[in-house]
Amino acid sequence: MTSTFHGLETGKRAMFTQQSALYTTGNNIANANTPGYTRQRVNFKESEAYPPAAMNRPQIPGQMGTGVAAGSIQRVREGFLDTQFRAENSKLGYHGSNSSALAKLEDILNETGKDSNGISKVLNNFWQSLQDLSTSPENGGARAVVIEQGKAVADTFNYVHGTIEAYRQDLGSQIEVDQKHINTLLENIDALNKKIAEVEPHGYLPNNLYDERDRLVDELSGYIDIKVEKVPSADDMLGNVKGVAEGYYIIKLGGNEIVNKDGYKTLDIQKAGDPGKEYVTTISFGEFTYTAATLPQGKMKSMIENFGHGSEGNGTYSKLLADLDKLANDFAASVNAAHQEGKLADGSNGVPLFQENAGASGIYMVETDPAKLAPSSTGSAGDGSNARNMADSFKGVMKGFESITGQLGVQAQFANRQKASTDVLRSAVEESRLSVSTVSLDEEMMNMIKYQHAYNAAARNITVVDEMLDKIINGMGTVGR
């Protein structure tokens, strides 16, 4: 037969379990605004019925329930949504960094808007000054304007090249900062792996450590596209690991394990080249090496692609700098060649106006005397035909620059579209994830009332059983006294 105190024990278990649920609900409410916190729940399970299945069980009709127990306190989290979020977060890190880098280039070139004062404008101004000179070749004012507009072209090439190179160097410094941050994230994830592996075999679920590890992994996914696998922290025959324990995180990058039970791989990025002209040459996590092409998507890949990589310094910024150097050299060579075809009043040929083969950073006017300009093809007074030839000589440079800015605009538009669409996708996944994992105060208040009523009912049940026992103990066997 069952114990006389069976009902008391059932009620006690119910009170303790509902009490655990109330405490967990209170913890959820307290952490409603804690970043990275995942709401928790108590997994209720029936305690073993009486009598247990056995050969010598007491002969009673069936089994009687013995109450409820708190099986585990588990996080409410959906692993599939975590995987989706991290994939979209990597894409947003890549496209967001691209969008920012290209927007910076557009600002530097300053080719849009009413107040644009970029290279195309100063080239147009120089072209117009030569047209004016062709109509008034003897006018000292027109000659002075040509000189000043030529200086403006050279100065603008210098400024644009220097500004882009300065920002490229800033990007290189940011790569170093983010490299250290990625290594810190990997180190902390590995440390949390080890702490979790120490706790789980004792039958505990370190939910706070799980939350912190997931927060770090989410942050890491913005820099590089990673894949996460869970492995048990101990063999089934060792310890008392619960079935819902999350175990180790193995983090893979392109199929290579950069975090596992043995530790983590440190990110190392090497640069080579002349001072101020360095490019990324080697990307490695421990013994695993990558190129800019094979490195998975993320903010780090975007920064390396924009900064420049490989032996030839391929990259958005480095390519634009090379294009500007070529344009500046072509401009100087074409204008100089045309000017040297002209004649001065004394019949001598014109001299070079711009320093050749100096690139966009080094171009300057070598001849700044207006009297040395040769707008004439014959040396005759009133002949401005060579000024028109000079203006026509760099039309190819102007078209070439228009092509560069057009390509840059297309790239920027594409990056902006990709960023916007990826942001929408990530926000949608994040909203779905938060709907599962975040704390809803309304829901927690309902749970609080539910568990409170269950606790009160269990206490009332104990009172009833106590009254029954009181009748048995104090009321039975007193007839005839």
Side-chain angles (χ1 to χ4, degrees):
M1 61 177 293
T2 59
S3 167
T4 305
F5 302 101
H6 178 92
L8 290 176
E9 181 64 25
T10 300
K12 185 197 75 171
R13 288 175 179 171
M15 290 182 66
F16 284 177
T17 303
Q18 304 304 327
Q19 188 179 52
S20 297
L22 279 169
Y23 291 162
T24 302
T25 300
N27 183 55
N28 286 340
I29 294 172
N31 287 281
N33 297 314
T34 301
Y37 177 80
T38 303
R39 70 185 178 94
Q40 302 172 8
R41 71 181 177 204
V42 177
N43 293 324
F44 290 3
K45 66 176 183 179
E46 290 182 284
S47 55
E48 186 177 5
Y50 178 84
M55 291 294 294
N56 298 321
R57 66 186 183 278
Q59 298 300 315
I60 64 173
Q63 291 182 302
M64 296 180 61
T66 60
V68 67
S72 61
I73 300 176
Q74 181 185 5
R75 299 190 306 160
V76 182
R77 200 173 181 103
E78 177 56 62
F80 176 70
L81 293 175
D82 286 339
T83 301
Q84 279 191 315
F85 174 82
R86 288 162 188 161
E88 297 301 329
N89 198 37
S90 299
K91 295 176 184 177
L92 182 60
Y94 177 78
H95 295 300
S97 179
N98 270 347
S99 176
S100 177
L102 293 172
K104 186 67 175 179
L105 285 182
E106 288 186 314
D107 290 340
I108 295 172
L109 292 178
N110 191 20
E111 294 296 328
T112 59
K114 295 180 180 180
D115 298 327
S116 62
N117 195 26
I119 292 175
S120 62
K121 184 173 182 179
V122 294
L123 286 174
N124 282 325
N125 290 343
F126 185 56
W127 181 88
Q128 185 61 52
S129 69
L130 289 171
Q131 294 294 333
D132 294 340
L133 181 62
S134 69
T135 60
S136 304
E138 310 302 327
N139 188 297
R143 288 171 172 263
V145 170
V146 170
I147 295 297
E148 292 304 317
Q149 293 297 342
K151 289 180 181 178
V153 171
D155 291 343
T156 303
F157 269 117
N158 298 159
Y159 169 78
V160 170
H161 188 283
T163 306
I164 293 176
E165 180 59 37
Y167 189 74
R168 196 183 76 85
Q169 294 301 322
D170 290 342
L171 201 58
S173 300
Q174 187 61 46
I175 289 175
E176 296 176 2
V177 171
D178 286 351
Q179 173 191 344
K180 293 178 182 178
H181 187 56
I182 288 173
N183 287 331
T184 300
L185 290 174
L186 293 171
E187 180 183 5
N188 291 338
I189 291 170
D190 178 62
L192 287 169
N193 266 345
K194 290 180 170 59
K195 289 180 181 179
I196 289 169
E198 292 173 357
V199 173
E200 286 182 340
H202 297 286
Y204 295 114
L205 295 177
N207 291 316
N208 58 330
L209 298 182
Y210 293 156
D211 284 344
E212 178 63 14
R213 183 174 62 179
D214 280 327
R215 187 188 67 80
L216 295 177
V217 171
D218 287 347
E219 185 176 354
L220 179 63
S221 69
Y223 291 96
I224 45 177
D225 185 14
I226 55 176
K227 308 299 180 186
V228 180
E229 294 182 6
K230 297 179 182 179
V231 295
S233 57
D235 295 334
D236 293 340
M237 301 301 294
L238 298 176
N240 187 29
V241 179
K242 292 186 179 296
V244 295
E246 299 192 14
Y248 266 97
Y249 271 6
I250 291 180
I251 298 179
K252 293 184 177 181
L253 184 66
N256 299 319
E257 296 182 358
I258 59 174
V259 176
N260 54 27
K261 287 187 175 183
D262 298 326
Y264 68 98
K265 308 295 183 181
T266 301
L267 171 61
D268 183 40
I269 298 176
Q270 295 293 330
K271 301 175 185 175
D274 297 331
K277 299 291 184 180
E278 303 95 342
Y279 301 106
V280 172
T281 55
T282 305
I283 309 166
S284 63
F285 284 86
E287 67 274 21
F288 308 123
T289 59
Y290 301 84
T291 64
T294 60
L295 186 69
Q297 273 193 345
K299 181 182 177 183
M300 181 57 72
K301 180 184 179 75
S302 169
M303 290 193 297
I304 291 174
E305 287 181 343
N306 286 297
F307 175 75
H309 56 90
S311 58
E312 298 180 357
N314 299 317
T316 306
Y317 279 67
S318 53
K319 182 179 183 302
L320 180 57
L321 290 171
D323 289 342
L324 288 176
D325 285 339
K326 184 177 184 307
L327 284 177
N329 290 337
D330 290 348
F331 171 79
S334 60
V335 173
N336 286 346
H339 188 253
Q340 291 177 88
E341 292 294 324
K343 300 291 184 178
L344 299 176
D346 59 4
S348 61
N349 290 334
V351 298
L353 293 180
F354 293 92
Q355 178 66 39
E356 294 188 22
N357 299 318
S361 62
I363 187 174
Y364 65 95
M365 289 200 77
V366 295
E367 181 56 71
T368 58
D369 185 358
K372 296 294 182 67
L373 287 177
S376 172
S377 298
T378 61
S380 301
D383 178 16
S385 58
N386 195 55
R388 289 191 294 272
N389 294 336
M390 291 170 60
D392 292 338
S393 68
F394 61 91
K395 282 185 177 180
V397 173
M398 298 171 70
K399 290 181 179 179
F401 185 72
E402 289 176 0
S403 176
I404 291 174
T405 55
Q407 291 176 0
L408 180 63
V410 171
Q411 289 178 319
Q413 286 182 345
F414 175 77
N416 291 337
R417 286 197 303 268
Q418 291 295 99
K419 177 188 175 183
S421 60
T422 307
D423 193 16
V424 170
L425 290 173
R426 192 192 73 160
S427 298
V429 174
E430 185 174 17
E431 185 175 347
S432 298
R433 189 167 73 153
L434 291 176
S435 68
V436 174
S437 301
T438 195
V439 176
S440 169
L441 292 178
D442 292 337
E443 184 178 351
E444 297 302 327
M445 291 300 293
M446 288 189 294
N447 287 339
M448 183 184 298
I449 295 172
K450 179 175 67 175
Y451 298 138
Q452 180 188 13
H453 284 321
Y455 183 90
N456 293 339
R460 180 60 182 166
N461 183 63
I462 290 177
T463 301
V464 171
V465 173
D466 179 62
E467 291 176 358
M468 292 167 57
L469 293 175
D470 177 68
K471 177 58 68 176
I472 292 172
I473 295 170
N474 298 315
M476 292 179 65
T478 60
V479 176
R481 289 186 182 178

